[in-house]
Amino acid sequence: MPDSAEYHKIAHITEEIAKQYAPDKRTAIFELQRAADDPNRYQITTTIPRAWERFQQLLVDNHIADTKVTINLLPDTSVNGNASGIVNLSVANLRVAPRNQAELASQVLLGTPVDLLQKRDGYYRVRTPEGYIAWVSTSSITAKTQLDLRQWKVARKVIFIADYGHSYSAPDEQSLRVSDLVMGNILVEMGKSSGLIRVRYPDGRIAYVKSDLVSPFDEWLDTLNPIADNILDAAKTMMGVPYLWGGTSVKGVDCSGFTKTAYYMNGIIIPRDASQQVLAGQFVDILSADTLDTEKALRNLKPADLLFFASGDNRKPDARITHVALYLGDGEFIHSAGTVRINSMLSGAANYGDFQTRTLVAARRYIAQTDPALQPISQHQFYTLEKHHK
């Protein structure tokens, strides 16, 4: 029979360690499971070696034999030594658990490198460039050796800059389609043919893309200027895109997926969720006595600042963040709510309506801020060789 008292002790220690080393399960893992073959033995799965070291010390302090618990440090042996992968679908769905019915947590775009942490039941547990950890179908990812990944990093690539399009099996737009493509997809360039670009997918498929729908990736990075006008221009290209919980592409976006995409298309990787985004950037004062001060907000806010909301009226500024928008100026903001649309915080405006259902509790400025949570693609280790880092 399982020793329930011992289990509860171990579970309590696990909880304490997780609070200290992995407070956000979206970006760090410290999990306890019972061993499949022995109910009195346990396994810790974690991404944090130092958390395991502290856990072992607490076992000793609580007179629990450390042989009772083993560690599964991620990445584990299930990925067969391939600790990296590249997304090979236009948009791959990340889920909170390794099953098709699990909640959609986020999405990643074609050509995005990810860390492979674990493989189970036809899914990879992956870490995205912004550090988000979730499960994605193995059919959506091409596993890569370190040499493969290095070759991908140095290869000449193109990025899809149109909203939506397709690739073709021959240099002819009437030929069979290979896949759909969305804004932000990245492919290896193989040359030109009949006005189209020949490209290679991460899984080796060869296709052709209209040349005016893509830009050389390195040139695109070099010409990016993440100023307010450019970020808002990217945001406005998504006007009318439907809301999709977990969505981060022009096929459908949630509120934070929308802000993430607007900054990504200007070369900046930002945190995934609104509750993470509010922790980054520079504080912008918009409250007086814990309540929105519209005059102060209009005075202090700048275009492309992020606005953070709690659900319902009269919420405190420390309320749970449930929504995020991009400030346009003159009291207006653009956000994904039903669809991507523009609303106003000014009660006399015709597009004020949606503002009444939310409480604006915080604002942050990302432009020109030095913050480890705001990472230029051009300096990110997932996309570049280490010797090019700044």
Side-chain angles (χ1 to χ4, degrees):
M1 291 289 292
D3 184 337
S4 61
E6 182 179 70
Y7 171 76
H8 287 302
K9 261 189 188 180
I10 294 172
H12 177 71
I13 294 171
T14 301
E15 184 179 346
E16 292 302 308
I17 293 293
K19 284 181 181 177
Q20 181 179 357
Y21 291 94
D24 189 341
K25 294 180 180 179
R26 295 166 295 185
T27 57
I29 296 169
F30 196 84
E31 300 172 342
L32 174 67
Q33 301 95 21
R34 288 186 188 271
D37 58 349
D38 184 346
N40 286 313
R41 293 181 65 82
Y42 310 94
Q43 182 180 74
I44 290 290
T45 298
T46 185
T47 54
I48 312 168
R50 67 184 184 278
W52 167 249
E53 294 169 5
R54 177 60 179 152
F55 179 84
Q56 287 180 302
Q57 182 59 54
L58 289 180
L59 289 182
V60 172
D61 293 347
N62 285 271
H63 310 291
I64 299 171
D66 58 7
T67 55
K68 287 277 188 178
V69 190
T70 58
I71 184 174
N72 183 28
L73 182 62
L74 302 182
D76 66 17
T77 57
S78 64
V79 299
N80 296 320
N82 293 326
S84 300
I86 301 178
V87 177
N88 58 36
L89 299 181
S90 63
V91 181
N93 294 325
L94 271 62
R95 302 192 178 277
V96 298
R99 57 180 185 273
N100 292 334
Q101 302 91 336
E103 176 187 327
L104 184 65
S106 189
Q107 295 177 319
V108 279
L109 302 180
L110 173 67
T112 301
V114 295
D115 287 336
L116 302 184
L117 303 177
Q118 195 173 15
K119 187 178 182 181
R120 185 201 302 170
D121 301 329
Y123 275 76
Y124 282 120
R125 183 180 252 178
V126 301
R127 182 192 288 115
T128 68
E130 64 270 19
Y132 206 86
I133 298 174
W135 296 88
V136 61
S137 171
T138 55
S139 63
S140 303
I141 302 287
T142 298
K144 298 291 185 183
T145 65
Q146 288 303 305
L147 177 59
D148 290 336
L149 185 63
R150 179 184 177 86
Q151 290 174 339
W152 183 88
K153 287 180 179 180
V154 301
R156 187 171 55 192
K157 295 180 288 291
V158 293
I159 183 168
F160 197 80
I161 56 174
D163 294 347
Y164 191 80
H166 296 90
S167 65
Y168 303 93
S169 56
D172 178 357
E173 293 178 52
Q174 303 306 311
S175 64
L176 193 66
R177 291 175 177 176
V178 174
S179 83
D180 69 323
L181 296 170
V182 301
M183 184 173 66
N185 285 173
I186 299 171
L187 295 155
V188 172
E189 181 183 349
M190 303 292 289
K192 297 182 179 180
S193 181
S194 302
L196 281 79
I197 303 291
R198 189 170 184 254
V199 295
R200 187 180 73 240
Y201 283 71
D203 58 5
R205 286 174 294 165
I206 300 297
Y208 297 84
V209 184
K210 290 180 64 177
S211 58
D212 60 343
L213 302 184
V214 298
S215 175
F217 184 65
D218 289 343
E219 292 181 17
W220 176 77
L221 282 179
D222 288 343
T223 58
L224 290 178
N225 185 14
I227 60 173
D229 284 349
N230 293 342
I231 290 163
L232 295 177
D233 284 347
K236 290 172 185 176
T237 66
M238 291 180 275
M239 282 289 291
V241 169
Y243 180 92
L244 174 65
W245 178 272
T248 62
S249 81
V250 295
K251 292 183 179 182
V253 286
D254 61 20
C255 62
S256 54
F258 166 69
T259 53
K260 177 182 182 301
T261 301
Y263 271 87
Y264 178 84
M265 291 308 297
N266 282 276
I268 305 295
I269 297 171
I270 72 172
R272 170 61 183 93
D273 291 343
S275 59
Q276 297 168 316
Q277 292 175 3
V278 74
L279 302 177
Q282 178 187 354
F283 169 83
V284 180
D285 187 10
I286 59 170
L287 305 179
S288 293
D290 291 343
T291 302
L292 173 66
D293 183 330
T294 304
E295 290 187 7
K296 181 185 285 187
L298 291 174
R299 184 169 63 249
N300 291 348
L301 286 169
K302 294 182 180 180
D305 285 350
L306 278 73
L307 308 178
F308 296 94
F309 301 79
S311 296
D313 296 329
N314 303 316
R315 296 295 179 95
K316 296 292 184 182
D318 60 351
R320 186 172 68 89
I321 299 299
T322 59
H323 190 66
V324 61
L326 286 172
Y327 187 63
L328 291 171
D330 299 323
E332 288 194 322
F333 55 93
I334 184 169
H335 61 144
S336 179
T339 63
V340 175
R341 54 198 174 99
I342 295 173
N343 286 106
S344 175
M345 66 175 68
L346 304 181
S347 59
N351 56 349
Y352 173 72
D354 186 74
F355 191 75
Q356 293 176 299
T357 66
R358 310 177 193 276
T359 299
L360 180 55
V361 295
R364 298 291 183 267
R365 181 161 301 141
Y366 281 5
I367 292 176
Q369 301 304 308
T370 300
D371 187 323
L374 309 176
Q375 305 174 71
I377 297 173
S378 61
Q379 299 172 27
H380 197 290
Q381 62 178 343
F382 277 40
Y383 293 87
T384 62
L385 296 177
E386 290 191 15
K387 66 181 181 180
H388 293 157
H389 290 180
K390 296 182 181 178

